[in-house]
Amino acid sequence: MASVLDPCSFSSFTKCVTKHLNLSYNVDFERHVLKAKVALTVEALEDHFSSLTLDTRDLKIFNVTANGQEAKFAMGPKHSFMGTPLEITLPFDLSRGQHVIVELSYETAPTASALQWLTPEQTAGKTHPYLFSQCQANHCRSMVPCQDSPSVKHTYYAQVPMPSYLIAIVVGALESREIGPRSRVWSEKEYVDKAAFEFSETETMLKTAEDLAGPYVWGQYDILVLPPSFPYGGMENPCLTFATPTLLAGDRSLSNVIAHEISHSWTGNLVTNKTWEHFWLNEGHTVYLERMIGRSMESEQFRQFKAMGGWKDLQESVNTFGANNPLTNLVPSLHEVDPDDAFSSVPYEKGFALLYHLEELMGGPEVFMGFVKSYIQLFAYSSVTTEEWKNYLFTYFKDKVDILNKVDWNAWMHTPGMPPVKPQYDTTLADACIALCQRWVNAKEGDLGGFKESDVKTLSSHQLIEFLSLLLQEEPLPLSHVKKMQEVYDLNSFMNAEIRFRWLRLCVKSKWEDAVAMALKMATDQGRMKFTRPLFREVYNFDKYSEEAVRVFKAHRAAMHPVTAGLVAKALKVDSTQTTSF
Ligand code: BES
Ligand code: ZN
């Protein structure tokens, strides 16, 4: 229901709710626009209903009809990140509960924030152009005029209700290969075999998730591997997860991202956050499920190890934002805040830490999964707030409310900075990483000869990532140390993106000039925000190379994804209002 006020959406103030969305697109690769028609089936929530507001951004609206009759429409003033409200006046009144079909013909802008248009040269195959969308959080409005709020769920395509942010489109020279009874991987043919190998555990993950959370209701679960500029690790578009090619490490070591996106099939796509202020309900529960899948497929120790890594990511986000920044609240106010600017590890890792803390208080993983499963069942196909979640937690654990009442809810949810309780995770798998990190931190020049290639030979790639993360939390190492590290471990030759990313940051932090070009190359060869923004930021903070970072950014800007380009521009203090493409 649109009765909740979503601070990121004009349409949530309108007293109606979209039930169905019927979309047809004509893809114009020459002009970089979608020529489109959308028919929205809208239900009035009050009597004498005769006008509605839709969210749009940079759309050219040609014509609007209501049940086939011409309807008047006007665009309101453009807001910095909410876009432009489209006010439609119906040629008749509706009573509460009545439906109207509002049909709009329109065209998207070449700069639409949900879309990236790639030239053939920007693809692996080099012959066909490529288009993909990314709607979460509030970019759907740049490709469909709609009620662009996760509080509204409608049918689209198949008869399954979904919020607008899960609408997706891809156009390109795609091939596919079967990887399981209900799964295929899709990509340009150059990646398809590698992807089939990397994601071969998909069916096991789906089954594990079903054991934990209940049946998978979406039928097919496919994975699309996008070109390198895709801004996220993964995006849980229903039936077809979008994934970055940086997951293709060759050893399945980054497959937790797939476990994560699979988990969204329950927490996110079935049970959805009502507004982006409650984003932690999507991501915190999803990380919790992702790690439960890791626990089943690997071990409890592995879950504890990953949880510890997550705590460090949270610490880094809190440091970046500042410990008093209200955006580090688990439930932030997004009044006049662009959700893309608020995005960080906080909803993921503070959310996970809260759920893990509750798990410990309520009696362990099995007991707590009972709650999570029941929460999913109860709220399936709807959108929920933190308050509804919390009320249900108290109902489910009605025999343990005494313990729940001792939780400092205000500190967890509405206070910035690190959580009030630090969980004690098992360190078995982390011990080797901690020890090696400390050896490097404490080493004097004369000790450097003691480091050997064999130090890292017994570490898994997960542990190598953890080792580098630990070093990144310390004061920068002396330049002599990182040079020695390269000499003995040869980290420059590692192509695993999570390893390379941390290693290059470490080098730049230690002011190793040779690493600058490599860091900027990684920042532009792929466009995953998690890597690209910190790499640019790191080089920018290396005084001597600030200008170089800006120069390289400007040179690549037109080829970058619009959202990534905007956020990197802000990080480098370059004018971020400038449009990206033409
Ligand atoms: N839904 C998110 C990605 C997202 C969030 C896109 C907000 C746009 C706005 C996705 O499920 C996600 O969390 N991806 C992570 C995976 C990781 C936590 C395992 C990523 O992209 O790195
Ligand atoms: Zn997620």
Side-chain angles (χ1 to χ4, degrees):
M1 291 261 285
S3 56
V4 104
L5 294 188
D6 180 338
C8 305
S9 158
F10 292 113
S11 65
S12 74
F13 295 80
T14 228
K15 289 279 187 255
C16 66
V17 49
T18 306
K19 296 301 215 182
H20 182 77
L21 190 154
N22 198 338
L23 194 54
S24 67
Y25 278 136
N26 196 318
V27 182
D28 186 341
F29 273 108
E30 299 271 300
R31 293 172 53 227
H32 289 190
V33 301
L34 299 174
K35 278 188 86 84
K37 266 204 167 87
V38 64
L40 305 171
T41 308
V42 173
E43 179 184 324
L45 295 177
E46 62 179 13
D47 287 336
H48 310 295
F49 177 83
S50 65
S51 68
L52 70 151
T53 305
L54 297 177
D55 293 298
T56 74
R57 183 184 295 117
D58 302 332
L59 295 181
K60 213 188 270 172
I61 308 285
F62 298 127
N63 184 52
V64 182
T65 64
N67 292 346
Q69 300 178 40
E70 205 73 26
K72 291 211 175 83
F73 64 94
M75 307 296 270
K78 182 171 177 176
H79 179 274
S80 60
F81 65 84
M82 288 214 278
T84 309
L86 167 62
E87 321 279 359
I88 298 173
T89 311
L90 303 178
F92 43 75
D93 274 15
L94 293 186
S95 316
R96 187 188 157 145
Q98 280 189 318
H99 290 69
V100 57
I101 297 180
V102 179
E103 201 171 325
L104 303 96
S105 39
Y106 66 98
E107 196 173 276
T108 60
T111 52
S113 59
L115 302 174
Q116 189 178 12
W117 300 83
L118 300 177
T119 60
E121 300 73 52
Q122 289 174 285
T123 67
K126 312 282 178 207
T127 34
H128 299 285
Y130 199 108
L131 163 69
F132 68 85
S133 66
Q134 166 58 46
C135 287
Q136 196 181 11
N138 61 3
H139 299 289
C140 189
R141 63 196 67 179
S142 75
M143 59 183 246
V144 191
C146 64
Q147 290 190 285
D148 194 7
S149 163
S151 61
V152 177
K153 289 188 174 191
H154 42 69
T155 53
Y156 135 78
Y157 188 91
Q159 292 299 307
V160 187
M162 62 182 63
S164 56
Y165 80 88
L166 292 174
I167 292 176
I169 182 175
V170 60
V171 183
L174 298 172
E175 296 212 348
S176 74
R177 261 193 59 181
E178 190 179 290
I179 53 166
R182 47 186 154 172
S183 302
R184 307 185 73 82
V185 283
W186 297 83
S187 69
E188 289 189 77
K189 67 173 180 305
E190 289 76 4
Y191 295 132
V192 91
D193 289 324
K194 219 177 167 205
F197 172 84
E198 206 75 39
F199 304 140
S200 65
E201 301 155 300
T202 298
E203 180 58 22
T204 312
M205 289 178 174
L206 282 164
K207 284 217 188 78
T208 309
E210 287 187 305
D211 285 342
L212 292 164
Y216 178 79
V217 302
W218 309 90
Q220 194 73 8
Y221 178 82
D222 287 359
I223 300 169
L224 168 73
V225 178
L226 286 116
S229 65
F230 186 64
Y232 296 96
M235 175 67 212
E236 64 274 22
N237 297 317
C239 309
L240 181 63
T241 282
F242 281 26
T244 165
T246 63
L247 300 184
L248 304 177
D251 60 1
R252 306 192 176 110
S253 61
L254 307 179
S255 65
N256 73 298
V257 175
I258 300 302
H260 179 95
E261 305 314 330
I262 285 177
S263 300
H264 273 307
S265 308
W266 290 267
T267 47
N269 299 2
L270 259 192
V271 182
T272 308
N273 48 218
K274 194 160 253 170
T275 72
W276 300 118
E277 295 178 326
H278 304 282
F279 185 47
W280 85 272
L281 291 175
N282 271 19
E283 297 301 344
H285 287 83
T286 298
V287 172
Y288 185 80
L289 278 176
E290 168 201 335
R291 293 192 179 141
M292 286 300 281
I293 295 174
R295 177 178 191 262
S296 293
M297 289 178 59
E298 206 64 48
S299 64
E300 173 63 12
Q301 279 182 353
F302 184 68
R303 181 174 81 124
Q304 298 277 325
F305 173 76
K306 287 290 179 180
M308 229 171 104
W311 183 269
K312 241 186 340 302
D313 293 344
L314 174 59
Q315 183 67 254
E316 189 175 330
S317 284
V318 169
N319 293 345
T320 311
F321 273 107
N324 295 320
N325 191 321
L327 290 180
T328 63
N329 287 11
L330 184 61
V331 188
S333 163
L334 293 185
H335 185 71
E336 286 299 312
V337 179
D338 183 340
D340 284 339
D341 291 332
F343 184 79
S344 76
S345 294
V346 171
Y348 293 77
E349 297 299 346
K350 211 188 239 196
F352 173 83
L354 171 60
L355 296 175
Y356 184 81
H357 178 58
L358 293 171
E359 172 195 301
E360 287 195 307
L361 292 178
M362 295 297 100
E366 280 81 15
V367 176
F368 198 70
M369 254 328 291
F371 160 71
V372 174
K373 188 171 184 177
S374 172
Y375 157 76
I376 291 166
Q377 258 164 19
L378 183 65
F379 293 105
Y381 302 105
S382 69
S383 303
V384 293
T385 61
T386 300
E387 190 171 275
E388 288 168 302
W389 169 85
K390 191 177 158 198
N391 285 341
Y392 187 60
L393 179 78
F394 275 71
T395 308
Y396 184 88
F397 289 115
K398 57 182 181 312
D399 301 335
K400 294 178 180 157
V401 287
D402 291 354
I403 310 178
L404 288 176
N405 276 326
K406 290 201 191 95
V407 172
D408 189 346
W409 294 101
N410 189 49
W412 276 102
M413 290 177 166
H414 306 293
T415 309
M418 293 302 280
V421 182
K422 180 175 179 178
Q424 288 302 311
Y425 297 117
D426 176 280
T427 63
T428 310
L429 290 173
D431 283 338
C433 318
I434 299 168
L436 188 58
C437 166
Q438 284 309 309
R439 266 183 72 201
W440 279 99
V441 169
N442 297 323
K444 307 271 177 302
E445 294 286 320
D447 303 328
L448 293 180
F451 291 101
K452 294 276 148 19
E453 191 188 349
S454 57
D455 301 342
V456 290
K457 278 285 164 277
T458 52
L459 298 185
S460 66
S461 49
H462 303 282
Q463 287 173 309
L464 199 49
I465 291 167
E466 178 65 12
F467 160 66
L468 293 169
S469 299
L470 285 165
L471 282 174
L472 280 168
Q473 277 209 319
E474 303 281 343
E475 288 299 306
L477 288 174
L479 183 53
S480 54
H481 285 47
V482 286
K483 284 188 173 172
K484 182 70 187 179
M485 199 179 286
Q486 167 55 21
E487 193 187 312
V488 286
Y489 303 159
D490 191 20
L491 292 166
N492 282 348
S493 71
F494 281 61
M495 285 300 149
N496 177 312
E498 296 280 355
I499 295 173
R500 192 170 184 78
F501 160 63
R502 287 173 178 81
W503 164 242
L504 293 176
R505 279 184 74 188
L506 199 72
C507 293
V508 175
K509 264 194 200 303
S510 297
K511 306 206 180 299
W512 193 1
E513 303 194 29
D514 294 0
V516 168
M518 282 188 279
L520 291 173
K521 182 164 176 2
M522 182 174 184
T524 50
D525 275 356
Q526 57 74 51
R528 186 173 170 187
M529 206 111 62
K530 171 179 178 181
F531 302 144
T532 292
R533 185 167 47 171
L535 284 166
F536 268 118
R537 206 183 256 144
E538 216 68 82
V539 175
Y540 184 76
N541 291 340
F542 185 171
D543 288 347
K544 219 167 135 183
Y545 289 93
S546 289
E547 281 175 23
E548 177 66 359
V550 172
R551 189 191 65 75
V552 170
F553 167 63
K554 286 185 172 165
H556 283 83
R557 184 176 202 168
M560 285 169 76
H561 187 278
V563 172
T564 316
L567 289 172
V568 172
K570 278 186 194 166
L572 303 190
K573 304 191 172 60
V574 175
D575 177 16
S576 61
T577 55
Q578 190 185 316
T579 53
T580 46
S581 309
F582 306 96

